[in-house]
Amino acid sequence: MTPGAVRRSARTASVMIARPLRWATTRRRRIATGFLLRGICYGLGTSIVSLTSVWIQRHL
C-alpha cells in the first residue's frame, strides 16, 4: 500500500465520521429551535387567553 492510499483512506474515514456528526448537530439545533418556538407560542397563547378572560370579567 502506498502512503497516498493510506492518506486517502484516513481522509475518507474522517469524512465518514464528520458528516454524520455534522448532520446530528444540525438536527439537534433544528429540534431545539422547534421546541423554543413551540414554547414561545404556547406562552403567548396562554397569556392572550388569560388577559382576554380577565378583561371580559372586569367589563361584565
Side-chain angles (χ1 to χ4, degrees), residues 19-38:
R19 284 183 184 165
L21 287 176
R22 189 174 4 165
W23 174 81
T25 304
T26 304
R27 185 169 182 255
R28 284 183 190 149
R29 198 171 291 151
R30 187 174 52 240
I31 290 171
T33 304
F35 279 132
L36 179 65
L37 182 61
R38 183 186 302 173

Side-chain angles (χ1 to χ4, degrees), residues 9-21:
S9 65
R11 190 179 313 141
T12 304
S14 67
V15 167
M16 289 175 64
I17 293 171
R19 284 183 184 165
L21 287 176

